[in-house]
Amino acid sequence: MSAIKGRFKAVLFKAGVFALVLGPVLGTPANAAPTQAQAGQVARKDTLIVPGNVNIPAPDIWNPYIPGTFILQGMNQNLMEPLFMLNYETGNIDGWLAESYTNSPDMTQWTVKLRPGTEWSDGQPLTSDDVVFTIQMLQQYAPQLNWSGAVKQWVQSVQALDDRTIQFTLTGPNPRFVMENLAGTTSQAIVPVPKHLWQGQDPVTFKYSYNNGAGAIFSGPYVVDTFASTEFDYKRNDNWWGARTGAFPLPAPLEIRRPWVGDDGTRLQMLASNDSDVDGPQTPSQLNALVAQNPNLKPYGPQGWVDPCPRMLTLNTTIAPWDNKVMRHALSYAMDRQQIVNVVNEGVGATSNFIFPTYKAMQPYIDGGQEVLTNAGVGEFNLDKAHQLIESQGYKLDSGSGHYVGPEGTTLSVDIVAPPFMEPWARMAVQQLQTVGVDANLRLIEWGIFRDQTGRGQFQAATDWDGCGSVVEPWFGMNRYSKSWVNPIGTAGTEYVDNTSNAGRWSNDQYSALMDQMGNLAIGDPQVMPLYKQALAIWADELPDIPLVQTPSYLLFNQTYWTNWPTQDNDYVQPPAHWEHFLKVLTQLKPAQ
């Protein structure tokens, strides 16, 4: 990934006025739909401002399939459109670009029907040929592209039956094919790309810089206006197919600004001063202070929204001594998870001893697995056991340094990488490992570099959310530890939901076979539970990942300019502003003035 930097000069905040000063940026794409005003001339009441905390090193890459590409700067929420969306609140798979799907009785053939009138933002029709082209591209370039591993594994062939109908023939029964690949269990799904622009390109290197880089063509309700590493501005496409055909309301915001604001205090003050519309403080006390400053700020709910991605400490199981399950268990016993809850979340939230979020649909599996996890000691804080396990492997505690030293005289150390927004959890993990005698060090690295290094297995440990994905059933998240995802060190892994499947490169034949069996069963099949428990016992014994805590998200929605946000008492869809589901929020927001 290139290290292209934007010309960000200053962040000015004075008397309630927020401004980003940018150097020259590229202009509007020639074929983009006309919009009402030039950047910066749209009234505040017509502008949606969603700050981010990630500086994009390569802002000119608009190819969502290159591993490491950042898509949460608006590409995923404003431009790209999936065929379907999984709605956590209802449990339904709702149509988006597609209106319906059917499957053969044996679950080996799936037929998807596109909505009438789907169109790219340059005015060209979006048809079955575009979907077929995208799937075949992923097949051809597996495993080099995101999602290509799953497509290569499951799709035997794909064909366009007509302009609106796509037929997938699978390599075997897969009752989760649409949910897993075409709907997206968390942040994203496979999205079609326009054949007329991508054909003949090398998708492994294609940046998708259309018209000199200023406006990638997708099908969503917004087009790129300007961009740099530190701000992405989008303008509404008044000719968006979704509104023109009556499938969805035309979003009310004329412009969406997504600036990078590296300082948390500045970002939160922007929210209090009505210079942004949605953000998330890190603690309940920050949330309460902001609401006291600005009564127009509405929290998602009193205890926050539970993110589907519990925080974890991932160890690279190909690197000694972390290839030894005894040492992985030792580090797990060293984790005081309740202290992390108390410090990072001021006591709100919960500890975690597996990869599942505490969602209603997941509760039967959470309850059903507790005995297995408890017997294996997963989630238990016990420094004595941690010391015993480390010392059983020949390490001795050096009283001078306070660190363990191995038989060969080498200090027991671990290098932990994390993106900036994971710093609170990462620092707690480092502190607790230091307490037990491990010389732990933290390296905060930019998002794209983090994803690239962890995806290629070029790391020792990472604080992340490696098992994220199961929100209505256990297979999706658990299957991320299948050996099918393991690639050689230095080779990019297959990314799902913004991180790499099996980044720790753990390989277990029996576990993987159980995942294959579970994957052939329909959601809710009674045979899933016993297979789940068998697989869980292997996972708990081997401990390829170390669960830490659940992740409450303290979302605040500013109602000064926009109303009808997805809150706990108005939960029409999951609320994060950085996922594909925000497309639905955009169609539901209403002007306050």
Side-chain angles (χ1 to χ4, degrees):
M1 177 176 289
S2 61
I4 299 170
K5 297 290 184 182
R7 297 188 178 95
F8 178 79
K9 295 181 180 177
V11 176
L12 305 179
F13 184 84
K14 184 177 181 182
V17 177
F18 170 75
L20 278 174
V21 182
L22 293 170
V25 288
L26 299 172
T28 306
N31 292 332
T35 49
Q36 288 79 0
Q38 295 301 310
Q41 296 179 350
V42 174
R44 173 66 181 94
K45 68 180 182 63
D46 297 318
T47 305
L48 182 70
I49 302 177
V50 185
N53 60 356
V54 177
N55 185 339
I56 313 302
D60 64 336
I61 296 180
W62 298 92
N63 179 343
Y65 293 113
I66 297 176
T69 297
F70 193 77
I71 65 170
L72 305 185
Q73 77 282 34
M75 193 194 314
N76 195 32
Q77 311 93 312
N78 308 337
L79 305 183
M80 303 192 309
E81 293 183 298
L83 296 169
F84 302 94
M85 286 187 191
L86 174 63
N87 188 319
Y88 296 5
E89 311 307 321
T90 65
N92 296 332
I93 296 176
D94 298 329
W96 198 263
L97 281 174
E99 62 182 7
S100 65
Y101 65 89
T102 56
N103 57 270
S104 62
D106 65 358
M107 300 285 182
T108 62
Q109 196 168 76
W110 294 76
T111 303
V112 171
K113 191 81 172 179
L114 293 177
R115 292 185 188 271
T118 50
E119 190 175 88
W120 300 107
S121 58
D122 63 359
Q124 295 295 311
L126 189 165
T127 70
S128 301
D129 283 342
D130 295 298
V131 179
V132 170
F133 170 80
T134 303
I135 298 298
Q136 290 178 340
M137 175 187 76
L138 295 174
Q139 284 180 310
Q140 180 181 350
Y141 287 89
Q144 300 176 77
L145 301 175
N146 296 335
W147 293 97
S148 62
V151 170
K152 183 76 170 179
Q153 177 185 1
W154 284 111
V155 180
Q156 178 176 305
S157 64
V158 59
Q159 61 178 322
L161 301 184
D162 56 43
D163 280 353
R164 302 280 103 199
T165 311
I166 307 104
Q167 186 176 83
F168 296 85
T169 300
L170 306 187
T171 56
N174 186 348
R176 297 165 181 79
F177 177 72
V178 166
M179 184 185 73
E180 178 191 354
N181 298 287
L182 307 184
T185 60
T186 52
S187 64
Q188 66 180 112
I190 292 173
V191 296
V193 296
K195 178 179 178 180
H196 66 281
L197 295 177
W198 284 62
Q199 193 167 33
Q201 303 290 344
D202 178 358
V204 178
T205 59
F206 184 36
K207 290 184 178 181
Y208 197 8
S209 297
Y210 178 77
N211 191 33
N212 200 29
I217 300 300
F218 288 101
S219 59
Y222 289 83
V223 295
V224 179
D225 182 49
T226 60
F227 66 86
S229 292
T230 50
E231 180 165 354
F232 292 78
D233 293 344
Y234 303 88
K235 289 197 148 188
R236 190 178 71 185
N237 179 0
D238 290 345
N239 296 319
W240 178 47
W241 73 269
R244 195 180 65 251
T245 63
F248 306 104
L250 184 68
L254 302 184
E255 181 177 324
I256 300 177
R257 290 179 51 215
R258 291 181 174 269
W260 169 69
V261 184
D263 178 70
D264 289 343
T266 301
R267 271 203 348 270
L268 297 182
Q269 190 55 47
M270 287 170 59
L271 195 62
S273 302
N274 296 326
D275 295 310
S276 70
D277 297 299
V278 57
D279 212 327
Q282 290 188 346
T283 64
S285 61
Q286 288 177 337
L287 183 145
N288 293 333
L290 288 165
V291 172
Q293 287 186 65
N294 187 343
N296 283 335
L297 299 181
K298 183 173 183 177
Y300 169 80
Q303 297 296 311
W305 178 71
V306 178
D307 190 289
C309 302
R311 299 310 187 218
M312 310 190 75
L313 175 63
T314 297
L315 295 168
N316 189 330
T317 64
T318 69
I319 297 176
W322 317 121
D323 56 346
N324 181 348
K325 69 179 182 180
V326 174
M327 295 299 290
R328 299 196 292 268
H329 274 280
L331 296 200
S332 181
Y333 279 123
M335 295 291 100
D336 186 346
R337 294 161 177 82
Q338 189 58 51
Q339 184 186 51
I340 297 174
V341 170
N342 293 343
V343 172
V344 177
N345 293 313
E346 298 178 349
V348 176
T351 63
S352 180
N353 62 356
F354 194 47
I355 64 174
F356 297 154
T358 52
Y359 285 3
K360 182 178 180 181
M362 298 308 302
Q363 202 60 49
Y365 301 100
I366 294 173
D367 294 341
Q370 283 309 302
E371 183 178 358
V372 170
L373 292 165
T374 300
N375 289 342
V378 183
E380 179 183 347
F381 171 54
N382 191 319
L383 287 179
D384 288 339
K385 288 184 179 179
H387 286 299
Q388 290 169 10
L389 291 178
I390 293 172
E391 291 166 8
S392 75
Q393 303 305 300
Y395 291 92
K396 293 183 179 180
L397 192 63
D398 179 75
S399 58
S401 66
H403 296 139
Y404 277 104
V405 177
E408 71 290 348
T410 304
T411 298
L412 178 60
S413 64
V414 62
D415 181 64
I416 299 177
V417 294
F421 55 86
M422 285 292 293
E423 182 176 3
W425 296 273
R427 291 210 178 278
M428 290 297 299
V430 166
Q431 175 185 316
Q432 292 176 0
L433 292 176
Q434 287 283 354
T435 298
V436 81
V438 179
D439 185 15
N441 298 283
L442 172 62
R443 286 192 300 118
L444 293 175
I445 53 181
E446 289 297 336
W447 170 260
I449 300 172
F450 174 82
R451 290 177 74 183
D452 185 63
Q453 290 185 0
T454 54
R456 294 178 183 277
Q458 296 168 328
F459 73 106
Q460 291 185 37
T463 45
D464 56 13
W465 48 100
D466 205 36
C468 179
S470 282
V471 293
V472 296
E473 57 89 31
W475 180 84
F476 185 92
M478 294 184 72
N479 189 59
R480 298 183 72 158
Y481 297 93
S482 168
K483 69 176 185 179
S484 64
W485 304 117
V486 174
N487 289 328
I489 298 296
T491 303
T494 297
E495 296 194 28
Y496 271 174
V497 292
D498 301 313
N499 61 317
T500 303
S501 291
N502 207 345
R505 285 166 163 74
W506 175 64
S507 183
N508 183 282
D509 292 343
Q510 187 180 359
Y511 180 93
S512 300
L514 288 167
M515 287 302 100
D516 291 343
Q517 291 180 58
M518 283 177 63
N520 287 332
L521 299 174
I523 295 173
D525 189 304
Q527 297 179 70
V528 168
M529 184 64 81
L531 292 173
Y532 155 69
K533 289 183 177 180
Q534 291 178 54
L536 181 63
I538 297 169
W539 193 97
D541 175 62
E542 288 281 327
L543 201 64
D545 237 333
I546 298 176
L548 296 176
V549 294
Q550 296 289 320
T551 315
S553 182
Y554 308 107
L555 293 167
L556 275 173
F557 301 108
N558 195 333
Q559 300 185 109
T560 302
Y561 298 107
W562 304 106
T563 63
N564 200 37
W565 294 97
T567 56
Q568 192 169 23
D569 56 6
N570 184 31
D571 55 347
Y572 55 84
V573 76
Q574 50 268 42
H578 56 285
W579 287 354
E580 68 178 12
H581 313 87
F582 199 65
L583 282 165
K584 183 174 180 67
V585 178
L586 291 174
T587 67
Q588 300 300 311
L589 288 179
K590 301 182 184 305
Q593 302 178 17

mmCIF file of all heavy atoms in Angstrom, residues 223-256:
data_model
loop_
_atom_site.group_PDB
_atom_site.id
_atom_site.type_symbol
_atom_site.label_atom_id
_atom_site.label_comp_id
_atom_site.label_asym_id
_atom_site.label_seq_id
_atom_site.Cartn_x
_atom_site.Cartn_y
_atom_site.Cartn_z
ATOM 1 N N VAL A 223 -21.967 10.313 -4.393
ATOM 2 C CA VAL A 223 -20.767 10.230 -5.216
ATOM 3 C C VAL A 223 -19.661 11.005 -4.516
ATOM 4 O O VAL A 223 -19.917 11.902 -3.712
ATOM 5 C CB VAL A 223 -20.994 10.797 -6.633
ATOM 6 C CG1 VAL A 223 -21.990 9.954 -7.399
ATOM 7 C CG2 VAL A 223 -21.453 12.254 -6.573
ATOM 8 N N VAL A 224 -18.423 10.670 -4.846
ATOM 9 C CA VAL A 224 -17.283 11.357 -4.253
ATOM 10 C C VAL A 224 -17.210 12.775 -4.789
ATOM 11 O O VAL A 224 -17.336 13.008 -5.995
ATOM 12 C CB VAL A 224 -15.976 10.611 -4.578
ATOM 13 C CG1 VAL A 224 -14.784 11.339 -3.978
ATOM 14 C CG2 VAL A 224 -16.042 9.181 -4.064
ATOM 15 N N ASP A 225 -17.002 13.721 -3.881
ATOM 16 C CA ASP A 225 -16.778 15.102 -4.308
ATOM 17 C C ASP A 225 -15.289 15.424 -4.204
ATOM 18 O O ASP A 225 -14.631 15.656 -5.203
ATOM 19 C CB ASP A 225 -17.601 16.074 -3.467
ATOM 20 C CG ASP A 225 -17.421 17.510 -3.920
ATOM 21 O OD1 ASP A 225 -17.537 17.759 -5.128
ATOM 22 O OD2 ASP A 225 -17.141 18.380 -3.074
ATOM 23 N N THR A 226 -14.748 15.408 -2.992
ATOM 24 C CA THR A 226 -13.323 15.623 -2.785
ATOM 25 C C THR A 226 -12.821 14.637 -1.744
ATOM 26 O O THR A 226 -13.592 14.123 -0.933
ATOM 27 C CB THR A 226 -13.017 17.052 -2.304
ATOM 28 O OG1 THR A 226 -13.697 17.280 -1.065
ATOM 29 C CG2 THR A 226 -13.455 18.086 -3.334
ATOM 30 N N PHE A 227 -11.514 14.386 -1.761
ATOM 31 C CA PHE A 227 -10.966 13.496 -0.753
ATOM 32 C C PHE A 227 -9.490 13.789 -0.531
ATOM 33 O O PHE A 227 -8.803 14.335 -1.399
ATOM 34 C CB PHE A 227 -11.151 12.023 -1.147
ATOM 35 C CG PHE A 227 -10.359 11.602 -2.361
ATOM 36 C CD1 PHE A 227 -9.045 11.185 -2.229
ATOM 37 C CD2 PHE A 227 -10.923 11.612 -3.622
ATOM 38 C CE1 PHE A 227 -8.303 10.794 -3.333
ATOM 39 C CE2 PHE A 227 -10.198 11.219 -4.726
ATOM 40 C CZ PHE A 227 -8.879 10.809 -4.591
ATOM 41 N N ALA A 228 -9.040 13.454 0.644
ATOM 42 C CA ALA A 228 -7.638 13.478 1.026
ATOM 43 C C ALA A 228 -7.495 12.502 2.181
ATOM 44 O O ALA A 228 -8.490 11.924 2.639
ATOM 45 C CB ALA A 228 -7.197 14.885 1.435
ATOM 46 N N SER A 229 -6.295 12.315 2.675
ATOM 47 C CA SER A 229 -6.104 11.393 3.796
ATOM 48 C C SER A 229 -6.952 11.777 4.992
ATOM 49 O O SER A 229 -7.312 10.930 5.805
ATOM 50 C CB SER A 229 -4.635 11.383 4.220
ATOM 51 O OG SER A 229 -3.827 10.795 3.236
ATOM 52 N N THR A 230 -7.268 13.057 5.088
ATOM 53 C CA THR A 230 -7.892 13.563 6.305
ATOM 54 C C THR A 230 -9.326 14.035 6.154
ATOM 55 O O THR A 230 -9.923 14.479 7.131
ATOM 56 C CB THR A 230 -7.051 14.736 6.840
ATOM 57 O OG1 THR A 230 -6.810 15.649 5.758
ATOM 58 C CG2 THR A 230 -5.729 14.236 7.373
ATOM 59 N N GLU A 231 -9.881 13.961 4.959
ATOM 60 C CA GLU A 231 -11.310 14.260 4.824
ATOM 61 C C GLU A 231 -11.841 13.690 3.513
ATOM 62 O O GLU A 231 -11.205 13.803 2.463
ATOM 63 C CB GLU A 231 -11.609 15.754 4.879
ATOM 64 C CG GLU A 231 -13.109 16.029 4.725
ATOM 65 C CD GLU A 231 -13.541 17.435 5.127
ATOM 66 O OE1 GLU A 231 -12.700 18.184 5.637
ATOM 67 O OE2 GLU A 231 -14.715 17.754 4.921
ATOM 68 N N PHE A 232 -13.032 13.126 3.623
ATOM 69 C CA PHE A 232 -13.752 12.608 2.459
ATOM 70 C C PHE A 232 -15.108 13.290 2.418
ATOM 71 O O PHE A 232 -15.867 13.231 3.391
ATOM 72 C CB PHE A 232 -13.910 11.089 2.564
ATOM 73 C CG PHE A 232 -12.614 10.341 2.432
ATOM 74 C CD1 PHE A 232 -11.726 10.274 3.487
ATOM 75 C CD2 PHE A 232 -12.278 9.723 1.240
ATOM 76 C CE1 PHE A 232 -10.524 9.597 3.365
ATOM 77 C CE2 PHE A 232 -11.073 9.037 1.105
ATOM 78 C CZ PHE A 232 -10.194 8.980 2.166
ATOM 79 N N ASP A 233 -15.405 13.947 1.303
ATOM 80 C CA ASP A 233 -16.683 14.632 1.136
ATOM 81 C C ASP A 233 -17.470 13.970 0.011
ATOM 82 O O ASP A 233 -16.915 13.685 -1.062
ATOM 83 C CB ASP A 233 -16.474 16.110 0.800
ATOM 84 C CG ASP A 233 -15.864 16.892 1.962
ATOM 85 O OD1 ASP A 233 -15.891 16.363 3.091
ATOM 86 O OD2 ASP A 233 -15.374 18.006 1.738
ATOM 87 N N TYR A 234 -18.755 13.779 0.266
ATOM 88 C CA TYR A 234 -19.628 13.098 -0.687
ATOM 89 C C TYR A 234 -20.853 13.961 -0.962
ATOM 90 O O TYR A 234 -21.360 14.625 -0.060
ATOM 91 C CB TYR A 234 -20.072 11.744 -0.133
ATOM 92 C CG TYR A 234 -18.925 10.833 0.232
ATOM 93 C CD1 TYR A 234 -18.339 10.883 1.492
ATOM 94 C CD2 TYR A 234 -18.419 9.927 -0.697
ATOM 95 C CE1 TYR A 234 -17.277 10.053 1.817
ATOM 96 C CE2 TYR A 234 -17.360 9.089 -0.376
ATOM 97 C CZ TYR A 234 -16.790 9.164 0.888
ATOM 98 O OH TYR A 234 -15.736 8.342 1.214
ATOM 99 N N LYS A 235 -21.305 13.937 -2.190
ATOM 100 C CA LYS A 235 -22.499 14.678 -2.571
ATOM 101 C C LYS A 235 -23.598 13.720 -3.005
ATOM 102 O O LYS A 235 -23.326 12.678 -3.609
ATOM 103 C CB LYS A 235 -22.184 15.664 -3.690
ATOM 104 C CG LYS A 235 -21.343 16.837 -3.219
ATOM 105 C CD LYS A 235 -21.403 17.970 -4.201
ATOM 106 C CE LYS A 235 -21.276 19.284 -3.450
ATOM 107 N NZ LYS A 235 -21.515 20.423 -4.339
ATOM 108 N N ARG A 236 -24.808 14.109 -2.699
ATOM 109 C CA ARG A 236 -25.946 13.256 -3.036
ATOM 110 C C ARG A 236 -26.111 13.140 -4.542
ATOM 111 O O ARG A 236 -25.991 14.122 -5.272
ATOM 112 C CB ARG A 236 -27.217 13.839 -2.417
ATOM 113 C CG ARG A 236 -28.413 12.894 -2.499
ATOM 114 C CD ARG A 236 -29.624 13.493 -1.824
ATOM 115 N NE ARG A 236 -30.171 14.612 -2.581
ATOM 116 C CZ ARG A 236 -31.179 15.374 -2.151
ATOM 117 N NH1 ARG A 236 -31.714 15.144 -0.969
ATOM 118 N NH2 ARG A 236 -31.624 16.360 -2.896
ATOM 119 N N ASN A 237 -26.383 11.933 -4.970
ATOM 120 C CA ASN A 237 -26.700 11.669 -6.363
ATOM 121 C C ASN A 237 -28.215 11.763 -6.503
ATOM 122 O O ASN A 237 -28.947 10.839 -6.157
ATOM 123 C CB ASN A 237 -26.199 10.277 -6.759
ATOM 124 C CG ASN A 237 -26.523 9.914 -8.194
ATOM 125 O OD1 ASN A 237 -27.133 10.689 -8.921
ATOM 126 N ND2 ASN A 237 -26.104 8.723 -8.592
ATOM 127 N N ASP A 238 -28.689 12.890 -7.001
ATOM 128 C CA ASP A 238 -30.137 13.101 -7.106
ATOM 129 C C ASP A 238 -30.786 12.146 -8.106
ATOM 130 O O ASP A 238 -32.017 12.019 -8.130
ATOM 131 C CB ASP A 238 -30.430 14.545 -7.490
ATOM 132 C CG ASP A 238 -30.101 15.512 -6.355
ATOM 133 O OD1 ASP A 238 -29.919 15.051 -5.208
ATOM 134 O OD2 ASP A 238 -29.999 16.718 -6.620
ATOM 135 N N ASN A 239 -29.955 11.504 -8.936
ATOM 136 C CA ASN A 239 -30.476 10.535 -9.896
ATOM 137 C C ASN A 239 -30.296 9.097 -9.422
ATOM 138 O O ASN A 239 -30.319 8.170 -10.233
ATOM 139 C CB ASN A 239 -29.762 10.720 -11.249
ATOM 140 C CG ASN A 239 -30.057 12.070 -11.864
ATOM 141 O OD1 ASN A 239 -31.192 12.548 -11.826
ATOM 142 N ND2 ASN A 239 -29.029 12.707 -12.407
ATOM 143 N N TRP A 240 -30.086 8.929 -8.130
ATOM 144 C CA TRP A 240 -29.875 7.589 -7.581
ATOM 145 C C TRP A 240 -31.026 6.667 -7.950
ATOM 146 O O TRP A 240 -32.197 6.993 -7.771
ATOM 147 C CB TRP A 240 -29.740 7.689 -6.063
ATOM 148 C CG TRP A 240 -29.568 6.385 -5.355
ATOM 149 C CD1 TRP A 240 -28.717 5.380 -5.685
ATOM 150 C CD2 TRP A 240 -30.277 5.954 -4.182
ATOM 151 N NE1 TRP A 240 -28.826 4.335 -4.792
ATOM 152 C CE2 TRP A 240 -29.784 4.668 -3.859
ATOM 153 C CE3 TRP A 240 -31.265 6.514 -3.382
ATOM 154 C CZ2 TRP A 240 -30.251 3.945 -2.769
ATOM 155 C CZ3 TRP A 240 -31.725 5.807 -2.292
ATOM 156 C CH2 TRP A 240 -31.225 4.529 -1.991
ATOM 157 N N TRP A 241 -30.674 5.498 -8.428
ATOM 158 C CA TRP A 241 -31.674 4.539 -8.890
ATOM 159 C C TRP A 241 -32.683 4.188 -7.795
ATOM 160 O O TRP A 241 -33.875 3.962 -8.089
ATOM 161 C CB TRP A 241 -30.982 3.259 -9.373
ATOM 162 C CG TRP A 241 -30.425 2.426 -8.240
ATOM 163 C CD1 TRP A 241 -29.173 2.494 -7.710
ATOM 164 C CD2 TRP A 241 -31.138 1.472 -7.454
ATOM 165 N NE1 TRP A 241 -29.039 1.644 -6.649
ATOM 166 C CE2 TRP A 241 -30.236 0.988 -6.473
ATOM 167 C CE3 TRP A 241 -32.430 0.955 -7.479
ATOM 168 C CZ2 TRP A 241 -30.585 0.025 -5.533
ATOM 169 C CZ3 TRP A 241 -32.786 -0.019 -6.542
ATOM 170 C CH2 TRP A 241 -31.879 -0.474 -5.575
ATOM 171 N N GLY A 242 -32.223 4.083 -6.533
ATOM 172 C CA GLY A 242 -33.093 3.647 -5.446
ATOM 173 C C GLY A 242 -34.284 4.554 -5.242
ATOM 174 O O GLY A 242 -35.409 4.089 -4.999
ATOM 175 N N ALA A 243 -34.032 5.866 -5.350
ATOM 176 C CA ALA A 243 -35.137 6.824 -5.191
ATOM 177 C C ALA A 243 -35.941 6.939 -6.482
ATOM 178 O O ALA A 243 -37.177 7.044 -6.450
ATOM 179 C CB ALA A 243 -34.578 8.182 -4.789
ATOM 180 N N ARG A 244 -35.244 6.929 -7.623
ATOM 181 C CA ARG A 244 -35.948 7.104 -8.894
ATOM 182 C C ARG A 244 -36.936 5.979 -9.155
ATOM 183 O O ARG A 244 -38.001 6.183 -9.738
ATOM 184 C CB ARG A 244 -34.926 7.188 -10.026
ATOM 185 C CG ARG A 244 -35.512 7.720 -11.337
ATOM 186 C CD ARG A 244 -34.490 7.800 -12.450
ATOM 187 N NE ARG A 244 -34.003 6.480 -12.832
ATOM 188 C CZ ARG A 244 -32.787 6.030 -12.575
ATOM 189 N NH1 ARG A 244 -31.921 6.791 -11.913
ATOM 190 N NH2 ARG A 244 -32.414 4.818 -12.960
ATOM 191 N N THR A 245 -36.608 4.767 -8.708
ATOM 192 C CA THR A 245 -37.500 3.629 -8.923
ATOM 193 C C THR A 245 -38.521 3.453 -7.807
ATOM 194 O O THR A 245 -39.409 2.602 -7.916
ATOM 195 C CB THR A 245 -36.686 2.324 -9.027
ATOM 196 O OG1 THR A 245 -36.008 2.089 -7.783
ATOM 197 C CG2 THR A 245 -35.677 2.397 -10.162
ATOM 198 N N GLY A 246 -38.374 4.225 -6.721
ATOM 199 C CA GLY A 246 -39.299 4.092 -5.600
ATOM 200 C C GLY A 246 -38.932 2.996 -4.620
ATOM 201 O O GLY A 246 -39.696 2.703 -3.699
ATOM 202 N N ALA A 247 -37.758 2.385 -4.797
ATOM 203 C CA ALA A 247 -37.350 1.326 -3.879
ATOM 204 C C ALA A 247 -37.046 1.873 -2.493
ATOM 205 O O ALA A 247 -37.341 1.232 -1.475
ATOM 206 C CB ALA A 247 -36.117 0.596 -4.429
ATOM 207 N N PHE A 248 -36.453 3.080 -2.441
ATOM 208 C CA PHE A 248 -36.063 3.702 -1.177
ATOM 209 C C PHE A 248 -36.293 5.206 -1.265
ATOM 210 O O PHE A 248 -36.281 5.775 -2.358
ATOM 211 C CB PHE A 248 -34.577 3.447 -0.872
ATOM 212 C CG PHE A 248 -34.185 2.006 -0.887
ATOM 213 C CD1 PHE A 248 -33.481 1.470 -1.970
ATOM 214 C CD2 PHE A 248 -34.505 1.166 0.165
ATOM 215 C CE1 PHE A 248 -33.112 0.136 -1.995
ATOM 216 C CE2 PHE A 248 -34.138 -0.177 0.141
ATOM 217 C CZ PHE A 248 -33.446 -0.695 -0.934
ATOM 218 N N PRO A 249 -36.459 5.862 -0.124
ATOM 219 C CA PRO A 249 -36.506 7.329 -0.143
ATOM 220 C C PRO A 249 -35.141 7.912 -0.517
ATOM 221 O O PRO A 249 -34.098 7.312 -0.205
ATOM 222 C CB PRO A 249 -36.864 7.695 1.308
ATOM 223 C CG PRO A 249 -37.378 6.442 1.936
ATOM 224 C CD PRO A 249 -36.696 5.313 1.227
ATOM 225 N N LEU A 250 -35.134 9.048 -1.172
ATOM 226 C CA LEU A 250 -33.886 9.757 -1.433
ATOM 227 C C LEU A 250 -33.364 10.311 -0.115
ATOM 228 O O LEU A 250 -34.099 10.970 0.615
ATOM 229 C CB LEU A 250 -34.115 10.898 -2.425
ATOM 230 C CG LEU A 250 -32.867 11.681 -2.861
ATOM 231 C CD1 LEU A 250 -31.960 10.798 -3.720
ATOM 232 C CD2 LEU A 250 -33.267 12.942 -3.627
ATOM 233 N N PRO A 251 -32.101 10.035 0.248
ATOM 234 C CA PRO A 251 -31.589 10.582 1.506
ATOM 235 C C PRO A 251 -31.729 12.097 1.570
ATOM 236 O O PRO A 251 -31.569 12.791 0.559
ATOM 237 C CB PRO A 251 -30.115 10.158 1.481
ATOM 238 C CG PRO A 251 -30.080 8.932 0.638
ATOM 239 C CD PRO A 251 -31.115 9.188 -0.434
ATOM 240 N N ALA A 252 -32.003 12.610 2.760
ATOM 241 C CA ALA A 252 -32.198 14.048 2.933
ATOM 242 C C ALA A 252 -30.898 14.846 2.911
ATOM 243 O O ALA A 252 -30.872 15.958 2.367
ATOM 244 C CB ALA A 252 -32.972 14.314 4.226
ATOM 245 N N PRO A 253 -29.787 14.368 3.492
ATOM 246 C CA PRO A 253 -28.556 15.173 3.459
ATOM 247 C C PRO A 253 -28.062 15.393 2.030
ATOM 248 O O PRO A 253 -27.931 14.450 1.255
ATOM 249 C CB PRO A 253 -27.557 14.341 4.267
ATOM 250 C CG PRO A 253 -28.401 13.465 5.146
ATOM 251 C CD PRO A 253 -29.621 13.151 4.333
ATOM 252 N N LEU A 254 -27.783 16.650 1.700
ATOM 253 C CA LEU A 254 -27.244 16.955 0.381
ATOM 254 C C LEU A 254 -25.762 16.625 0.298
ATOM 255 O O LEU A 254 -25.247 16.339 -0.781
ATOM 256 C CB LEU A 254 -27.446 18.442 0.060
ATOM 257 C CG LEU A 254 -28.887 18.974 0.082
ATOM 258 C CD1 LEU A 254 -28.911 20.427 -0.345
ATOM 259 C CD2 LEU A 254 -29.780 18.125 -0.816
ATOM 260 N N GLU A 255 -25.089 16.698 1.439
ATOM 261 C CA GLU A 255 -23.653 16.438 1.475
ATOM 262 C C GLU A 255 -23.323 15.668 2.745
ATOM 263 O O GLU A 255 -23.947 15.873 3.792
ATOM 264 C CB GLU A 255 -22.872 17.754 1.447
ATOM 265 C CG GLU A 255 -21.359 17.599 1.454
ATOM 266 C CD GLU A 255 -20.634 18.938 1.356
ATOM 267 O OE1 GLU A 255 -21.130 19.836 0.648
ATOM 268 O OE2 GLU A 255 -19.577 19.074 1.993
ATOM 269 N N ILE A 256 -22.345 14.771 2.635
ATOM 270 C CA ILE A 256 -21.829 14.064 3.808
ATOM 271 C C ILE A 256 -20.350 14.351 3.904
ATOM 272 O O ILE A 256 -19.603 14.142 2.939
ATOM 273 C CB ILE A 256 -22.062 12.546 3.713
ATOM 274 C CG1 ILE A 256 -23.560 12.238 3.611
ATOM 275 C CG2 ILE A 256 -21.465 11.840 4.933
ATOM 276 C CD1 ILE A 256 -23.855 10.759 3.434
#
